[in-house]
Amino acid sequence: MSSLFHLEEPQIAYRKISDRVSTETWHGREILTVEPGALQELAREAMLDIAHLYRSKHLEQVRAILDDPEASPNDRFVALELLKNAAISAGRILPMCQDTGTAIVHGHKGDRVWTGVDDEQYLSAGIRDAYVQGNLRYSQMAPLTMYDEVPTTDNLPAQIEIEAIPGDKYEFLFVAKGGGSANKSFLYQETKATIEPKRLLQFIEEKVKTLGTAACPPYHLAIVIGGTSAEFTMKTVKLASCKYLDGLPTSGDATGRAFRDLELEQQVLAMTRTLGVGAQFGGKYLCHDVRVIRLPRHGASCPIGLGVGCSADRQALAKIDRTGIWLEQLETEPAHYLPEVDEKALSGSPVEINTDAGMDAIRAALTKCPIGTRVKLSGTLVVARDIVHAKWRDMIDAGQPLPDYIKKYPIYYAGPAKTPEGLPSGSFGPTTAGRMDSYAEMLQSRGASLVTLAKGNRSAAVRDACKKYGGFYLGSIGGAAAQLAATAIKKVETLDFPELGMEAVWKIVVEDFPAFVVVDDKGNDFFVNPPPATTTADGKSVSLL
């Protein structure tokens, strides 16, 4: 652990994994001996737990949205879907998110802990076991050349970092970091001029506004001011977003110790609740909470880091000591956070769209819907994402015709997790829409991809293409992949490019698949010009959505 971090011992409930430890005396010192297989067992259990279970505190924060009279109807609708998702994923069959992430392990190994092996090798083996044996997705790509890649078949390699510390305890933080939230990690090289009360808040607000919703809010926002290097700043951002640094002191000293600024945390949180973005589709809950950490810096350098933890809040602490192998106890019964609610009261009745009615009929129905309208899709969707879009571009460049299916059906940007035995689908939530923005004009001008479905905001290029060619972009709820698989997706089959694994083209049949109209055929964009609120007779502000 860095000498900058003076952390209080967290009060954590653990469950015991095994007793595969013993003590020996060497040169008059007592050594904790750990069986190598215990590391593999611990890593496997940790990665499976965090793919399916949340911390209780996170679920309490989601439930608080439903209980907040100031939350928008769409805030509450998203919160309810996320709690339903948590209840389903706790069954340990469908992971909470289809992007089951890059496996990350931060370890702190006491100098009196002995394993006798390459710890990284055994931790990696346990991670591999979790991904191969569970219904998790392999998202890691192995470069063969600078330009050619193939998917790995076990989600390795993992990011494993082990630091030496004094003592006879081995401590871990296990994290699964999805691509959406990882892509919302930013480093800014600023100067001392930025560290001034008014300017710093302005700077933070400017940067938070760029986050959008592609990483599945509500977020756990982390901001780090300073750092002895750029890479240390960003590492601190990641740890802070996992609540790993919550035990820092709340004031600095002349030694340069790291500290949390609790006052600034509350100021930034209050600011995020005025932006109108909310929990994906308008409201106040862009963020659950904020962590602001101040680090020492070189006098000529001021790195500032920003990052988020998303709705798939996946991390767990673990420890090995004389009493055994221990893993943080996550919430196994999240259903008790679910309230009895009238879903229609959360955001009104949705408009039903038949995706098998033909593209003209689909667009005729959607053109009547103002932006922000909640819809339910039933019928066929075609699933395609980054690599397939690049292949379609290559077909156009080669003068080849595009497949008929991208003209006939809406295109869902997604990549599924593995399908559990006996179920029609694995976890199958939306991916970030913005990665496909550069293809909008090319495809829509050819009568293809006129209705797309994903998460997050889109660029001006998409708005312009939709206005010019009569297209629509629908936003789906990010972070509710298990819920979608369990209730909305009825059939999944490979349609094209099967060699691409989860990046293949899929044909799926859905029923009452929830979405919102984000960009319409008039060029309106929910995230650029959201519809105004109205007021009830008692003076309360209510979303029009």
Side-chain angles (χ1 to χ4, degrees), residues 156-169:
L156 295 179
Q159 178 184 327
I160 299 176
E161 301 169 346
I162 301 173
E163 300 178 19
I165 58 172
D168 62 352
K169 185 184 290 187

Side-chain angles (χ1 to χ4, degrees), residues 185-187 229-238 304-306:
S185 301
F186 300 101
L187 173 70
S229 67
E231 56 269 25
F232 186 74
T233 299
M234 295 312 296
K235 180 176 182 178
T236 305
V237 167
K238 183 173 291 183
I304 297 179
L306 183 149

Side-chain angles (χ1 to χ4, degrees), residues 16 26 144 322-323 334 369 488-489:
K16 198 168 195 177
W26 183 75
L144 302 180
R322 299 183 186 197
T323 64
C369 300
I489 300 176

Side-chain angles (χ1 to χ4, degrees), residues 75 78 180-181 184 186 207-219 275-283 285-287 308-311 430-434 454-458 473-479 516 518 525-528:
D75 275 341
V78 170
S181 60
K184 296 300 178 180
F186 300 101
K207 302 310 179 185
V208 168
K209 285 180 177 178
T210 69
L211 287 174
T213 61
C216 305
Y219 297 134
L275 300 180
V277 179
Q280 305 187 31
F281 300 102
Y285 280 97
L286 177 65
C287 296
V308 300
C310 68
S311 293
T431 197
T432 303
K455 65 175 180 176
N457 47 306
R458 307 299 296 266
Y473 165 58
L474 310 180
S476 181
I477 299 172
F516 295 79
V518 176
D525 186 332
F526 176 85
F527 290 112
V528 175

Side-chain angles (χ1 to χ4, degrees), residues 86-229:
I88 292 169
S89 67
R92 302 180 73 93
I93 297 173
L94 292 166
M96 64 181 70
C97 180
Q98 81 287 341
D99 182 351
T100 47
T102 297
I104 301 171
V105 184
H106 288 284
H108 299 98
K109 185 178 184 180
D111 62 343
R112 289 186 285 121
V113 176
W114 173 258
T115 60
V117 296
D118 179 352
D119 293 4
E120 182 175 347
Q121 177 182 344
Y122 281 82
L123 291 168
S124 290
I127 292 166
R128 181 187 183 280
D129 289 345
Y131 279 84
V132 171
Q133 297 169 15
N135 296 311
L136 312 186
R137 195 179 85 184
Y138 310 142
S139 300
Q140 303 308 304
M141 303 296 293
L144 302 180
T145 69
M146 181 58 71
Y147 307 104
D148 299 316
E149 298 176 312
V150 294
T152 67
T153 57
D154 52 13
N155 212 56
L156 295 179
Q159 178 184 327
I160 299 176
E161 301 169 346
I162 301 173
E163 300 178 19
I165 58 172
D168 62 352
K169 185 184 290 187
Y170 205 160
E171 300 172 327
F172 301 88
L173 171 67
F174 290 93
V175 183
K177 192 70 171 175
S181 60
N183 292 344
K184 296 300 178 180
S185 301
F186 300 101
L187 173 70
Y188 309 99
Q189 294 287 12
E190 297 298 310
T191 68
K192 176 64 173 70
T194 306
I195 315 176
E196 182 274 330
K198 185 177 180 181
R199 173 62 189 133
L200 183 58
L201 275 171
Q202 290 175 340
F203 174 87
I204 292 172
E205 181 172 352
E206 290 169 7
K207 302 310 179 185
V208 168
K209 285 180 177 178
T210 69
L211 287 174
T213 61
C216 305
Y219 297 134
H220 300 285
L221 176 63
I223 301 165
V224 177
I225 314 296
T228 49
S229 67

Side-chain angles (χ1 to χ4, degrees), residues 209-356:
K209 285 180 177 178
T210 69
L211 287 174
T213 61
C216 305
Y219 297 134
H220 300 285
L221 176 63
I223 301 165
V224 177
I225 314 296
T228 49
S229 67
E231 56 269 25
F232 186 74
T233 299
M234 295 312 296
K235 180 176 182 178
T236 305
V237 167
K238 183 173 291 183
L239 294 175
S241 71
C242 296
K243 312 296 182 63
Y244 191 69
L245 303 178
D246 278 9
L248 284 173
T250 56
S251 63
D253 65 14
T255 68
R257 73 183 185 185
F259 67 91
R260 287 179 60 191
D261 188 324
L262 301 184
E263 181 180 359
L264 187 54
E265 289 178 1
Q266 291 307 307
Q267 290 175 321
V268 173
L269 181 61
M271 174 272 293
T272 68
R273 295 189 168 173
T274 67
L275 300 180
V277 179
Q280 305 187 31
F281 300 102
K284 63 182 279 191
Y285 280 97
L286 177 65
C287 296
H288 284 305
D289 50 42
V290 178
R291 296 293 182 270
V292 178
I293 293 176
R294 183 68 157 89
L295 297 178
R297 67 183 184 89
H298 186 284
S301 175
C302 183
I304 297 179
L306 183 149
V308 300
C310 68
S311 293
D313 191 46
R314 294 175 296 200
Q315 63 267 163
L317 299 174
K319 63 181 181 180
I320 302 176
D321 58 21
R322 299 183 186 197
T323 64
I325 319 294
W326 300 86
L327 179 61
E328 182 179 354
Q329 179 63 65
L330 303 179
E331 179 59 70
T332 59
E333 298 292 339
H336 71 262
Y337 291 97
L338 279 166
E340 292 293 331
V341 296
D342 178 3
E343 293 187 35
K344 290 184 179 180
L346 295 177
S347 59
S349 298
V351 174
E352 297 185 1
I353 304 292
N354 177 8
T355 61
D356 289 323

